[in-house]
Amino acid sequence: MEHVAANPWASFAYLVAGVCFILALRGLSSPASSQRGNRFGMIGMTIAVVTTLATHVPMVPPACPTGAICENFGRPQLDIATILELLAAIGIGAAIGIVTARRIAMTAMPQLVAAFHSLVGLAAVLVAAAAFLNPGAFGIAQDGVIFLQSRVEMGLGIAIGAITFSGSVIAFLKLNGNMGGKPILLPGRHVINLGLLAGILGLIAYFTQDQSPWIFWTITVLSFVIGFLLIVPIGGADMPVVVSMLNSYSGWAAAAMGFTLHNTAMIVTGALVGSSGAILSYIMCRAMNRSFISVIAGGFGGDSGPPAGAVATDRPWKRGSAEDAAFLMSQAEQVVIVPGYGMAVAQAQHALREMGDKLKAHGVRVKYAIHPVAGRMPGHMNVLLAEANVPYDDVFELEDINSEFAQTDVAFVIGANDVTNPAAKTDKSSPIYGMPVLDVEKAKTVLFIKRSMGGVGYAGVDNELFYRDNTMMLLADAKKMVEEIVKSLD
């Protein structure tokens, strides 16, 4: 069954590609080495694609009757595509990817990632469907009967792929604002999800004994449905976990299809993406005080709490100006900057770095505090700060910086709402209760940049921090306010 194994050079090339993927993951574990990690990833994928094309695809159509199964390098093959046709398809896809990458804003990166995950899931579904409709072309059948192990791989691949696709589409719609961030809680959703999951697994088991088309397509439809039902009940505050979870699903879908295609590179790559995504999901769950099992089951958003958009505007609060903020920070010994999604929306990271440089020139110690789920995807804030050339040594994660807020003169919060809300520690009715947050309220003074007092965070709840005695609200566009502070520091 393993056709590529007959070619030792192909096996060696796939091994090199696998090593590059491992080095890529290692590099992406730190902002300082992320560019090197990306290069390793691109090199590994290039080796894998070139090797696959060289060992599986003819330069010209095989000399056999149209539609018949022909042999090429020991690989059963249909007369449907040549290397030139595939290169043309790759070129079209590459052009779309390059244009999209150049035009996409950093604020739209989370929904772009969700869209990519959906495409991986859809690709797995299409490959599984093609293998089922024409198993002889994939070398997974004899006399029209699909091999047992191939049915298992195919069933799991199409189930995971369909769940990834429909779940990623819902995640995209929520992140892009086409759907509300508030959880849509269906009655008995956990029972429904468990019932559908049991049905899918039961049908996959039945599929190993009977390859009737109705079984295959029923698995597909049910998987699309459960992917939708798993993500719809999840609220906006939990979307970063959803992104990492779907990343894991897409990897396992690719690995399953790698078995169907007898492609070692896909198996290795899919397993690496799936396992690293699962580890990241677990880390994100710990950062948000969520149960990893409840993430997989779906619908772990807040079941109670105030309605989305509720703001206690009648409570007293203090308003400050750019001049006030500049004076307070220039007189401080230490300023801790807390960036959030509002900074990303305003594209204020470059102005923020300039402000930090000005404060350092005044002898102020400047640090940046990053919550694991700040923004709408893992690492969102780290990428933005790296883009602005903020020194890596100045950036600290929650567990490394939280103990310092009590000794900090000024905590400067720029668009980070839910991850700084003290209600997460005190209000059991809040949908973010139990989520570890940055203890900015312990600083002597909190400067909080926000467009207006009328909005709420992505979780849809008001921030108790706004009304603290030591908090001064700076109501303006984040980039404009920071630029005015920089001028005042001059």
Side-chain angles (χ1 to χ4, degrees):
M1 288 292 293
E2 181 58 66
H3 303 282
V4 180
N7 188 333
W9 289 108
S11 298
F12 177 74
Y14 283 149
L15 176 62
V16 173
V19 171
C20 287
F21 295 144
I22 294 172
L23 293 175
L25 288 175
R26 179 177 177 83
L28 293 173
S29 64
S30 169
S33 58
S34 59
Q35 289 187 340
R36 183 171 68 250
N38 273 315
R39 294 191 190 99
F40 276 120
M42 290 187 286
I43 293 171
M45 186 55 66
T46 301
I47 294 173
V49 171
V50 170
T51 302
T52 300
L53 293 178
T55 55
H56 288 69
V57 183
M59 291 297 295
V60 295
C64 63
T66 301
I69 299 176
C70 304
E71 293 290 328
N72 182 63
F73 294 99
R75 179 80 168 105
Q77 174 139 8
L78 285 181
D79 178 13
I80 57 174
T82 66
I83 187 69
L84 295 179
E85 293 168 332
L86 287 177
L87 286 177
I90 292 173
I92 294 172
I96 295 173
I98 290 172
V99 172
T100 302
R102 291 179 64 88
R103 292 184 177 180
I104 198 72
M106 280 305 301
T107 50
M109 194 60 66
Q111 47 264 53
L112 177 66
V113 172
F116 283 161
H117 292 162
S118 73
L119 295 178
V120 175
L122 183 60
V125 171
L126 294 176
V127 169
F132 176 74
L133 295 173
N134 198 352
F138 291 81
I140 60 173
Q142 185 173 3
D143 299 328
V145 179
I146 301 175
F147 299 127
L148 176 63
Q149 65 269 31
S150 297
R151 294 192 209 179
V152 176
E153 298 158 1
M154 193 182 300
L156 291 175
I158 199 164
I160 299 173
I163 291 171
T164 303
F165 173 74
S166 57
S168 297
V169 169
I170 299 301
F172 172 85
L173 294 175
K174 282 177 172 282
L175 289 166
N176 203 47
N178 302 107
M179 290 182 65
K182 187 179 180 181
I184 301 175
L185 306 178
L186 301 177
R189 63 190 183 281
H190 295 303
V191 175
I192 295 173
N193 290 345
L194 290 174
L196 285 173
L197 181 60
I200 291 170
L201 294 176
L203 285 172
I204 292 175
Y206 188 35
F207 185 58
T208 62
Q209 306 301 315
D210 183 352
Q211 64 179 60
S212 298
W214 74 266
I215 303 174
F216 179 84
W217 297 116
T218 302
I219 294 172
T220 306
V221 172
L222 292 180
S223 299
F224 279 127
V225 172
I226 196 173
F228 170 81
L229 294 176
L230 284 172
I231 307 303
V232 163
I234 298 176
D238 297 319
M239 290 310 294
V241 184
V242 174
V243 173
S244 61
M245 180 181 68
L246 291 172
N247 177 55
S248 178
Y249 288 177
S250 67
W252 297 123
M257 288 303 96
F259 284 103
T260 299
L261 296 174
H262 312 296
N263 189 289
T264 306
M266 278 190 69
I267 297 171
V268 172
T269 305
L272 287 172
V273 173
S275 56
S276 61
I279 294 171
L280 179 59
S281 297
Y282 176 73
I283 294 173
M284 299 292 286
C285 287
R286 289 189 60 188
M288 299 185 69
N289 196 33
R290 305 298 191 192
S291 165
F292 185 68
I293 300 300
S294 66
V295 174
I296 299 174
F300 56 97
D303 290 329
S304 60
V311 182
T313 54
D314 57 333
R315 297 174 61 180
W317 53 277
K318 292 187 295 185
R319 181 168 186 169
S321 65
E323 292 77 13
D324 297 330
F327 175 78
L328 288 170
M329 287 191 288
S330 64
Q331 301 300 312
E333 291 186 8
Q334 175 166 294
V335 173
V336 176
I337 300 172
V338 182
Y341 188 69
M343 182 195 73
V345 172
Q347 288 290 284
Q349 61 270 25
H350 296 281
L352 193 66
R353 179 196 58 84
E354 185 179 359
M355 185 189 81
D357 292 343
K358 295 283 185 182
L359 290 173
K360 290 178 182 178
H362 281 77
V364 181
R365 188 166 58 253
V366 178
K367 296 183 178 182
Y368 296 80
I370 305 295
H371 192 282
V373 296
R376 294 186 183 176
M377 65 177 288
H380 199 180
M381 294 301 104
N382 301 77
V383 172
L384 289 172
L385 294 179
E387 179 191 5
N389 295 319
V390 172
Y392 300 129
D393 293 340
D394 292 348
V395 180
F396 297 86
E397 299 294 335
L398 178 145
E399 61 272 13
D400 299 321
I401 196 71
N402 244 5
S403 61
E404 293 193 30
F405 280 108
Q407 291 80 42
T408 296
D409 298 295
V410 178
F412 186 84
V413 184
I414 174 169
N417 203 330
D418 298 324
V419 298
T420 62
N421 194 340
K425 298 178 285 187
T426 59
D427 186 0
K428 293 185 178 181
S429 67
S430 174
I432 62 172
Y433 178 73
M435 182 179 80
V437 293
L438 291 160
D439 296 333
V440 295
E441 76 278 3
K442 295 181 180 179
K444 294 178 182 177
T445 301
V446 178
L447 300 176
F448 202 116
I449 295 183
K450 196 172 183 290
R451 281 187 174 273
S452 69
M453 293 297 293
V456 292
Y458 201 50
V461 295
D462 200 12
N463 193 339
E464 294 292 323
L465 185 63
F466 302 159
Y467 314 105
R468 296 291 180 101
D469 292 336
N470 63 332
T471 299
M472 181 181 293
M473 301 299 298
L474 307 174
L475 302 184
D477 173 79
K479 183 178 181 181
K480 183 178 179 180
M481 174 58 72
V482 174
E483 288 174 344
E484 290 179 359
I485 293 173
V486 170
K487 292 179 181 178
S488 298
L489 286 172
D490 289 333

